[in-house]
Amino acid sequence: MSKFIVLIGPPGAGKGTQAKLVSEKLDLPHISSGDIFREYFNNQSELGKIAHRYIERGELVPDEITIAMIRERLSKSDCETGAILDGFPRNPVQADALEQMLLEMDSEVDLVAYIDVPQEELIERLTGRLTCREQGHVFHRKYNPPKVANRCDYDGSELYQRDDDKEETVKRRINVYMQQTMPLIEYYLRKNLLVKVDGMQTIEQVTKTLLEVIGNKR
Ligand code: AMP
């Protein structure tokens, strides 16, 4: 039986950090739509350049492009056992597309964990965030500093501030989340798949809670 877990929550809720930790624990691939876009951009592919125009403005990349990219990723053999999805779906159209894609794989979403963090907290989290160039590990200047300044604890690569983590863009991303992604909470509540997790706990506590709720669903 495959296991597909979706993490939703506002930008800065800790989805990326948690998805990495949970994917290691459960030995499932971590699929982050944002990481894939950034990888395409770093490789200077056409798709990466198009996506970048939206990302730098804090807007969503068009559904057509995003859905096709996730479809391709899910078709890889490592997803046969499932995946931890981080950043996709981000609106109901994408959620419908995901349901269809998984149906074609004879599978379905098992659980949607909504990592809840109050809006006031998000700006500080995002503007202080540092991201690793190689694999997208995330740190925070104040709340989760790396052991060695500007170096990733996991792979030693350089840490940088994402362009879209600058304050103006962060505000736009939060607005986009409120308008386009929040409806997913209702969407998945109706499907009886949503579990709310308190994102204000420590990183370790959030991981523990996530592993518990995922385990309970088995
Ligand atoms: P993230 O790394 O999840 O914060 O995503 C960074 C940016 O990539 C977002 O602000 C969007 O511009 C774009 N992006 C990531 N995932 C999606 C998605 N599912 N749909 C549309 N755009 C996305």
Side-chain angles (χ1 to χ4, degrees):
M1 257 292 276
S2 56
K3 199 156 200 69
F4 287 92
I5 311 292
V6 172
L7 299 186
I8 61 173
K15 297 185 298 296
T17 300
Q18 295 301 334
K20 276 196 180 358
L21 293 164
V22 170
S23 89
E24 276 163 26
K25 278 269 180 221
L26 299 182
D27 199 21
L28 289 172
H30 167 205
I31 301 184
S32 155
S33 40
D35 282 355
I36 305 177
F37 284 134
R38 282 184 286 278
E39 195 184 309
Y40 276 110
F41 182 67
N42 289 340
N43 296 337
Q44 305 198 336
S45 77
E46 255 338 282
L47 189 148
K49 287 183 207 160
I50 296 171
H52 187 74
R53 285 190 230 134
Y54 296 91
I55 294 174
E56 67 182 353
R57 292 200 295 260
E59 292 168 11
L60 293 190
V61 177
D63 288 338
E64 250 174 61
I65 298 177
T66 308
I67 291 167
M69 179 186 83
I70 293 292
R71 178 180 282 282
E72 193 198 319
R73 180 64 188 88
L74 285 175
S75 71
K76 304 235 164 95
S77 60
D78 63 338
C79 295
E80 275 165 19
T81 49
I84 311 291
L85 290 161
D86 149 25
F88 182 92
R90 247 176 164 95
N91 62 29
V93 170
Q94 294 182 6
D96 284 341
L98 177 63
E99 189 173 299
Q100 185 57 37
M101 286 184 249
L102 294 183
L103 200 66
E104 287 163 24
M105 295 166 71
D106 211 12
S107 193
E108 60 189 4
V109 171
D110 289 277
L111 179 94
V112 178
Y114 164 42
I115 307 183
D116 185 29
V117 170
Q119 207 178 329
E120 315 81 79
E121 183 80 8
L122 302 173
I123 295 182
E124 200 183 350
R125 283 194 181 194
L126 287 165
T127 54
R129 179 157 81 172
L130 296 168
T131 302
C132 110
R133 286 223 185 264
E134 285 295 321
Q135 297 181 58
H137 293 106
V138 289
F139 299 85
H140 190 280
R141 287 184 219 282
K142 209 153 89 189
Y143 305 124
N144 180 26
K147 294 195 179 88
V148 177
N150 287 321
R151 289 281 149 206
C152 176
D153 289 0
Y154 303 98
D155 58 32
S157 72
E158 186 200 6
L159 300 178
Y160 74 108
Q161 184 184 38
R162 278 169 42 178
D163 278 348
D164 62 344
D165 281 345
K166 309 247 157 84
E167 190 160 340
E168 268 323 291
T169 319
V170 160
K171 287 185 180 154
R172 195 144 349 128
R173 286 165 62 204
I174 294 172
N175 276 336
V176 166
Y177 170 79
M178 296 295 170
Q179 284 168 21
Q180 304 191 45
T181 310
M182 282 285 271
L184 281 185
I185 293 170
E186 188 55 38
Y187 178 104
Y188 282 122
L189 264 177
R190 261 187 275 121
K191 292 186 184 278
N192 207 16
L193 288 173
L194 196 89
V195 178
K196 186 164 151 178
V197 172
D198 177 8
M200 291 299 284
Q201 307 174 90
T202 63
I203 293 176
E204 293 75 19
Q205 281 165 341
V206 175
T207 312
K208 190 166 168 271
T209 311
L210 282 171
L211 290 170
E212 274 166 17
V213 294
I214 294 169
N216 286 342
K217 195 73 189 180
R218 265 186 198 148

mmCIF file of all heavy atoms in Angstrom, residues 69-103:
data_model
loop_
_atom_site.group_PDB
_atom_site.id
_atom_site.type_symbol
_atom_site.label_atom_id
_atom_site.label_comp_id
_atom_site.label_asym_id
_atom_site.label_seq_id
_atom_site.Cartn_x
_atom_site.Cartn_y
_atom_site.Cartn_z
ATOM 1 N N MET A 69 4.393 19.355 -14.018
ATOM 2 C CA MET A 69 5.669 19.066 -13.370
ATOM 3 C C MET A 69 5.506 18.016 -12.257
ATOM 4 O O MET A 69 6.307 17.085 -12.134
ATOM 5 C CB MET A 69 6.208 20.374 -12.783
ATOM 6 C CG MET A 69 7.497 20.228 -12.060
ATOM 7 S SD MET A 69 7.918 21.782 -11.279
ATOM 8 C CE MET A 69 6.965 21.676 -9.775
ATOM 9 N N ILE A 70 4.437 18.145 -11.491
ATOM 10 C CA ILE A 70 4.209 17.176 -10.405
ATOM 11 C C ILE A 70 3.830 15.808 -10.989
ATOM 12 O O ILE A 70 4.248 14.763 -10.491
ATOM 13 C CB ILE A 70 3.108 17.691 -9.432
ATOM 14 C CG1 ILE A 70 3.609 18.924 -8.682
ATOM 15 C CG2 ILE A 70 2.649 16.609 -8.461
ATOM 16 C CD1 ILE A 70 4.745 18.694 -7.689
ATOM 17 N N ARG A 71 3.078 15.837 -12.064
ATOM 18 C CA ARG A 71 2.708 14.570 -12.714
ATOM 19 C C ARG A 71 3.971 13.799 -13.101
ATOM 20 O O ARG A 71 4.088 12.597 -12.865
ATOM 21 C CB ARG A 71 1.839 14.845 -13.940
ATOM 22 C CG ARG A 71 1.437 13.602 -14.714
ATOM 23 C CD ARG A 71 0.571 13.963 -15.911
ATOM 24 N NE ARG A 71 -0.809 14.248 -15.538
ATOM 25 C CZ ARG A 71 -1.713 13.309 -15.261
ATOM 26 N NH1 ARG A 71 -1.377 12.041 -15.319
ATOM 27 N NH2 ARG A 71 -2.937 13.641 -14.934
ATOM 28 N N GLU A 72 4.915 14.529 -13.682
ATOM 29 C CA GLU A 72 6.165 13.888 -14.106
ATOM 30 C C GLU A 72 6.926 13.339 -12.898
ATOM 31 O O GLU A 72 7.426 12.213 -12.907
ATOM 32 C CB GLU A 72 7.022 14.903 -14.852
ATOM 33 C CG GLU A 72 8.167 14.241 -15.589
ATOM 34 C CD GLU A 72 9.252 15.227 -15.963
ATOM 35 O OE1 GLU A 72 8.916 16.343 -16.386
ATOM 36 O OE2 GLU A 72 10.439 14.863 -15.804
ATOM 37 N N ARG A 73 6.960 14.127 -11.825
ATOM 38 C CA ARG A 73 7.700 13.693 -10.620
ATOM 39 C C ARG A 73 7.057 12.442 -10.007
ATOM 40 O O ARG A 73 7.753 11.510 -9.582
ATOM 41 C CB ARG A 73 7.745 14.850 -9.601
ATOM 42 C CG ARG A 73 8.476 14.521 -8.302
ATOM 43 C CD ARG A 73 9.946 14.241 -8.557
ATOM 44 N NE ARG A 73 10.627 13.742 -7.368
ATOM 45 C CZ ARG A 73 10.694 12.456 -7.030
ATOM 46 N NH1 ARG A 73 10.118 11.517 -7.785
ATOM 47 N NH2 ARG A 73 11.352 12.087 -5.950
ATOM 48 N N LEU A 74 5.721 12.438 -9.987
ATOM 49 C CA LEU A 74 5.035 11.291 -9.369
ATOM 50 C C LEU A 74 5.159 10.016 -10.196
ATOM 51 O O LEU A 74 4.940 8.917 -9.690
ATOM 52 C CB LEU A 74 3.541 11.613 -9.159
ATOM 53 C CG LEU A 74 3.201 12.571 -8.011
ATOM 54 C CD1 LEU A 74 1.706 12.880 -8.018
ATOM 55 C CD2 LEU A 74 3.607 11.993 -6.655
ATOM 56 N N SER A 75 5.516 10.195 -11.480
ATOM 57 C CA SER A 75 5.620 9.002 -12.338
ATOM 58 C C SER A 75 6.945 8.261 -12.106
ATOM 59 O O SER A 75 7.141 7.160 -12.610
ATOM 60 C CB SER A 75 5.498 9.405 -13.807
ATOM 61 O OG SER A 75 6.670 10.105 -14.191
ATOM 62 N N LYS A 76 7.868 8.859 -11.344
ATOM 63 C CA LYS A 76 9.149 8.195 -11.082
ATOM 64 C C LYS A 76 8.953 7.021 -10.129
ATOM 65 O O LYS A 76 8.052 7.033 -9.268
ATOM 66 C CB LYS A 76 10.148 9.199 -10.484
ATOM 67 C CG LYS A 76 10.346 10.437 -11.358
ATOM 68 C CD LYS A 76 11.804 10.662 -11.708
ATOM 69 C CE LYS A 76 11.959 11.620 -12.865
ATOM 70 N NZ LYS A 76 12.173 13.000 -12.472
ATOM 71 N N SER A 77 9.845 6.038 -10.271
ATOM 72 C CA SER A 77 9.601 4.777 -9.556
ATOM 73 C C SER A 77 9.669 4.918 -8.028
ATOM 74 O O SER A 77 9.025 4.166 -7.304
ATOM 75 C CB SER A 77 10.595 3.718 -10.021
ATOM 76 O OG SER A 77 11.897 4.172 -9.741
ATOM 77 N N ASP A 78 10.414 5.937 -7.537
ATOM 78 C CA ASP A 78 10.511 6.064 -6.077
ATOM 79 C C ASP A 78 9.182 6.468 -5.429
ATOM 80 O O ASP A 78 9.039 6.389 -4.211
ATOM 81 C CB ASP A 78 11.630 7.047 -5.678
ATOM 82 C CG ASP A 78 11.383 8.463 -6.177
ATOM 83 O OD1 ASP A 78 10.619 8.636 -7.147
ATOM 84 O OD2 ASP A 78 11.944 9.399 -5.579
ATOM 85 N N CYS A 79 8.204 6.904 -6.249
ATOM 86 C CA CYS A 79 6.914 7.307 -5.681
ATOM 87 C C CYS A 79 5.923 6.142 -5.597
ATOM 88 O O CYS A 79 4.783 6.337 -5.166
ATOM 89 C CB CYS A 79 6.296 8.439 -6.499
ATOM 90 S SG CYS A 79 7.255 9.942 -6.418
ATOM 91 N N GLU A 80 6.376 4.971 -6.008
ATOM 92 C CA GLU A 80 5.452 3.827 -5.960
ATOM 93 C C GLU A 80 4.976 3.538 -4.545
ATOM 94 O O GLU A 80 3.860 3.084 -4.328
ATOM 95 C CB GLU A 80 6.131 2.577 -6.540
ATOM 96 C CG GLU A 80 5.990 2.524 -8.052
ATOM 97 C CD GLU A 80 6.949 1.528 -8.682
ATOM 98 O OE1 GLU A 80 7.458 0.647 -7.964
ATOM 99 O OE2 GLU A 80 7.186 1.658 -9.903
ATOM 100 N N THR A 81 5.846 3.831 -3.561
ATOM 101 C CA THR A 81 5.447 3.562 -2.167
ATOM 102 C C THR A 81 4.775 4.757 -1.507
ATOM 103 O O THR A 81 4.354 4.685 -0.365
ATOM 104 C CB THR A 81 6.677 3.163 -1.327
ATOM 105 O OG1 THR A 81 7.701 4.137 -1.574
ATOM 106 C CG2 THR A 81 7.170 1.779 -1.692
ATOM 107 N N GLY A 82 4.729 5.886 -2.227
ATOM 108 C CA GLY A 82 4.095 7.077 -1.682
ATOM 109 C C GLY A 82 5.047 8.249 -1.690
ATOM 110 O O GLY A 82 6.122 8.185 -2.290
ATOM 111 N N ALA A 83 4.649 9.339 -1.021
ATOM 112 C CA ALA A 83 5.489 10.541 -0.979
ATOM 113 C C ALA A 83 4.956 11.512 0.064
ATOM 114 O O ALA A 83 3.795 11.424 0.472
ATOM 115 C CB ALA A 83 5.514 11.228 -2.345
ATOM 116 N N ILE A 84 5.847 12.411 0.474
ATOM 117 C CA ILE A 84 5.431 13.538 1.317
ATOM 118 C C ILE A 84 5.384 14.752 0.412
ATOM 119 O O ILE A 84 6.410 15.166 -0.142
ATOM 120 C CB ILE A 84 6.451 13.815 2.463
ATOM 121 C CG1 ILE A 84 6.821 12.537 3.226
ATOM 122 C CG2 ILE A 84 5.947 14.909 3.384
ATOM 123 C CD1 ILE A 84 5.718 11.958 4.061
ATOM 124 N N LEU A 85 4.201 15.295 0.212
ATOM 125 C CA LEU A 85 4.034 16.436 -0.693
ATOM 126 C C LEU A 85 4.058 17.743 0.086
ATOM 127 O O LEU A 85 3.282 17.922 1.030
ATOM 128 C CB LEU A 85 2.718 16.301 -1.453
ATOM 129 C CG LEU A 85 2.697 15.183 -2.482
ATOM 130 C CD1 LEU A 85 1.271 14.814 -2.844
ATOM 131 C CD2 LEU A 85 3.437 15.615 -3.744
ATOM 132 N N ASP A 86 4.939 18.626 -0.327
ATOM 133 C CA ASP A 86 5.138 19.895 0.391
ATOM 134 C C ASP A 86 5.018 21.047 -0.609
ATOM 135 O O ASP A 86 5.837 21.190 -1.498
ATOM 136 C CB ASP A 86 6.525 19.805 1.065
ATOM 137 C CG ASP A 86 7.258 21.121 1.226
ATOM 138 O OD1 ASP A 86 6.597 22.168 1.277
ATOM 139 O OD2 ASP A 86 8.501 21.084 1.318
ATOM 140 N N GLY A 87 3.933 21.806 -0.488
ATOM 141 C CA GLY A 87 3.744 22.961 -1.387
ATOM 142 C C GLY A 87 2.849 22.655 -2.575
ATOM 143 O O GLY A 87 2.542 23.539 -3.361
ATOM 144 N N PHE A 88 2.459 21.437 -2.712
ATOM 145 C CA PHE A 88 1.500 21.038 -3.750
ATOM 146 C C PHE A 88 0.525 20.053 -3.114
ATOM 147 O O PHE A 88 0.989 19.124 -2.460
ATOM 148 C CB PHE A 88 2.197 20.357 -4.929
ATOM 149 C CG PHE A 88 1.230 19.975 -6.036
ATOM 150 C CD1 PHE A 88 0.982 20.847 -7.083
ATOM 151 C CD2 PHE A 88 0.547 18.765 -5.996
ATOM 152 C CE1 PHE A 88 0.074 20.503 -8.082
ATOM 153 C CE2 PHE A 88 -0.362 18.425 -6.997
ATOM 154 C CZ PHE A 88 -0.585 19.290 -8.040
ATOM 155 N N PRO A 89 -0.770 20.214 -3.289
ATOM 156 C CA PRO A 89 -1.476 21.250 -4.028
ATOM 157 C C PRO A 89 -1.542 22.570 -3.249
ATOM 158 O O PRO A 89 -1.414 22.600 -2.035
ATOM 159 C CB PRO A 89 -2.876 20.658 -4.186
ATOM 160 C CG PRO A 89 -3.059 19.767 -3.002
ATOM 161 C CD PRO A 89 -1.698 19.217 -2.711
ATOM 162 N N ARG A 90 -1.779 23.655 -4.000
ATOM 163 C CA ARG A 90 -1.867 24.979 -3.391
ATOM 164 C C ARG A 90 -3.193 25.658 -3.702
ATOM 165 O O ARG A 90 -3.402 26.809 -3.305
ATOM 166 C CB ARG A 90 -0.737 25.847 -3.930
ATOM 167 C CG ARG A 90 0.304 26.229 -2.861
ATOM 168 C CD ARG A 90 1.398 26.994 -3.545
ATOM 169 N NE ARG A 90 2.273 27.742 -2.716
ATOM 170 C CZ ARG A 90 3.456 27.302 -2.259
ATOM 171 N NH1 ARG A 90 3.824 26.062 -2.440
ATOM 172 N NH2 ARG A 90 4.231 28.113 -1.580
ATOM 173 N N ASN A 91 -4.074 24.975 -4.400
ATOM 174 C CA ASN A 91 -5.441 25.486 -4.609
ATOM 175 C C ASN A 91 -6.319 24.289 -4.983
ATOM 176 O O ASN A 91 -5.805 23.192 -5.251
ATOM 177 C CB ASN A 91 -5.455 26.604 -5.688
ATOM 178 C CG ASN A 91 -4.988 26.102 -7.036
ATOM 179 O OD1 ASN A 91 -5.155 24.928 -7.369
ATOM 180 N ND2 ASN A 91 -4.394 26.968 -7.835
ATOM 181 N N PRO A 92 -7.639 24.486 -4.986
ATOM 182 C CA PRO A 92 -8.524 23.339 -5.241
ATOM 183 C C PRO A 92 -8.353 22.709 -6.626
ATOM 184 O O PRO A 92 -8.537 21.492 -6.765
ATOM 185 C CB PRO A 92 -9.924 23.940 -5.059
ATOM 186 C CG PRO A 92 -9.708 25.062 -4.081
ATOM 187 C CD PRO A 92 -8.383 25.657 -4.459
ATOM 188 N N VAL A 93 -7.992 23.507 -7.640
ATOM 189 C CA VAL A 93 -7.786 22.921 -8.984
ATOM 190 C C VAL A 93 -6.634 21.912 -8.923
ATOM 191 O O VAL A 93 -6.716 20.798 -9.460
ATOM 192 C CB VAL A 93 -7.499 24.027 -10.039
ATOM 193 C CG1 VAL A 93 -7.052 23.431 -11.353
ATOM 194 C CG2 VAL A 93 -8.722 24.902 -10.234
ATOM 195 N N GLN A 94 -5.558 22.301 -8.243
ATOM 196 C CA GLN A 94 -4.409 21.388 -8.107
ATOM 197 C C GLN A 94 -4.781 20.173 -7.256
ATOM 198 O O GLN A 94 -4.305 19.063 -7.508
ATOM 199 C CB GLN A 94 -3.224 22.124 -7.475
ATOM 200 C CG GLN A 94 -2.666 23.238 -8.350
ATOM 201 C CD GLN A 94 -1.453 23.918 -7.728
ATOM 202 O OE1 GLN A 94 -0.936 23.503 -6.697
ATOM 203 N NE2 GLN A 94 -0.986 24.983 -8.367
ATOM 204 N N ALA A 95 -5.631 20.391 -6.266
ATOM 205 C CA ALA A 95 -6.037 19.268 -5.408
ATOM 206 C C ALA A 95 -6.855 18.250 -6.220
ATOM 207 O O ALA A 95 -6.671 17.032 -6.075
ATOM 208 C CB ALA A 95 -6.829 19.780 -4.208
ATOM 209 N N ASP A 96 -7.740 18.760 -7.081
ATOM 210 C CA ASP A 96 -8.504 17.854 -7.959
ATOM 211 C C ASP A 96 -7.551 17.090 -8.873
ATOM 212 O O ASP A 96 -7.715 15.886 -9.099
ATOM 213 C CB ASP A 96 -9.488 18.650 -8.843
ATOM 214 C CG ASP A 96 -10.720 19.119 -8.062
ATOM 215 O OD1 ASP A 96 -10.996 18.552 -6.990
ATOM 216 O OD2 ASP A 96 -11.383 20.063 -8.537
ATOM 217 N N ALA A 97 -6.553 17.803 -9.410
ATOM 218 C CA ALA A 97 -5.587 17.163 -10.324
ATOM 219 C C ALA A 97 -4.804 16.087 -9.580
ATOM 220 O O ALA A 97 -4.556 15.000 -10.119
ATOM 221 C CB ALA A 97 -4.643 18.200 -10.915
ATOM 222 N N LEU A 98 -4.430 16.369 -8.335
ATOM 223 C CA LEU A 98 -3.688 15.375 -7.554
ATOM 224 C C LEU A 98 -4.532 14.121 -7.347
ATOM 225 O O LEU A 98 -4.046 12.994 -7.510
ATOM 226 C CB LEU A 98 -3.274 15.967 -6.196
ATOM 227 C CG LEU A 98 -2.560 14.991 -5.262
ATOM 228 C CD1 LEU A 98 -1.226 14.523 -5.849
ATOM 229 C CD2 LEU A 98 -2.338 15.619 -3.877
ATOM 230 N N GLU A 99 -5.792 14.347 -7.020
ATOM 231 C CA GLU A 99 -6.674 13.192 -6.792
ATOM 232 C C GLU A 99 -6.720 12.306 -8.041
ATOM 233 O O GLU A 99 -6.607 11.079 -7.964
ATOM 234 C CB GLU A 99 -8.072 13.702 -6.434
ATOM 235 C CG GLU A 99 -8.996 12.599 -5.965
ATOM 236 C CD GLU A 99 -10.324 13.159 -5.458
ATOM 237 O OE1 GLU A 99 -10.309 13.927 -4.485
ATOM 238 O OE2 GLU A 99 -11.352 12.821 -6.055
ATOM 239 N N GLN A 100 -6.828 12.970 -9.187
ATOM 240 C CA GLN A 100 -6.879 12.247 -10.457
ATOM 241 C C GLN A 100 -5.570 11.488 -10.736
ATOM 242 O O GLN A 100 -5.591 10.311 -11.097
ATOM 243 C CB GLN A 100 -7.183 13.258 -11.582
ATOM 244 C CG GLN A 100 -7.379 12.649 -12.946
ATOM 245 C CD GLN A 100 -8.504 11.613 -12.959
ATOM 246 O OE1 GLN A 100 -9.515 11.789 -12.283
ATOM 247 N NE2 GLN A 100 -8.309 10.518 -13.698
ATOM 248 N N MET A 101 -4.449 12.174 -10.503
ATOM 249 C CA MET A 101 -3.141 11.530 -10.760
ATOM 250 C C MET A 101 -2.973 10.300 -9.879
ATOM 251 O O MET A 101 -2.495 9.263 -10.323
ATOM 252 C CB MET A 101 -1.997 12.507 -10.434
ATOM 253 C CG MET A 101 -1.803 13.596 -11.432
ATOM 254 S SD MET A 101 -0.339 14.580 -10.975
ATOM 255 C CE MET A 101 -1.059 16.113 -10.487
ATOM 256 N N LEU A 102 -3.357 10.431 -8.607
ATOM 257 C CA LEU A 102 -3.174 9.300 -7.692
ATOM 258 C C LEU A 102 -4.130 8.164 -8.038
ATOM 259 O O LEU A 102 -3.775 6.986 -7.927
ATOM 260 C CB LEU A 102 -3.349 9.753 -6.236
ATOM 261 C CG LEU A 102 -2.287 10.734 -5.729
ATOM 262 C CD1 LEU A 102 -2.502 11.070 -4.257
ATOM 263 C CD2 LEU A 102 -0.871 10.186 -5.918
ATOM 264 N N LEU A 103 -5.317 8.540 -8.483
ATOM 265 C CA LEU A 103 -6.283 7.527 -8.910
ATOM 266 C C LEU A 103 -5.697 6.676 -10.036
ATOM 267 O O LEU A 103 -5.810 5.450 -10.048
ATOM 268 C CB LEU A 103 -7.552 8.242 -9.388
ATOM 269 C CG LEU A 103 -8.836 7.431 -9.427
ATOM 270 C CD1 LEU A 103 -9.253 7.031 -8.022
ATOM 271 C CD2 LEU A 103 -9.953 8.261 -10.078
#
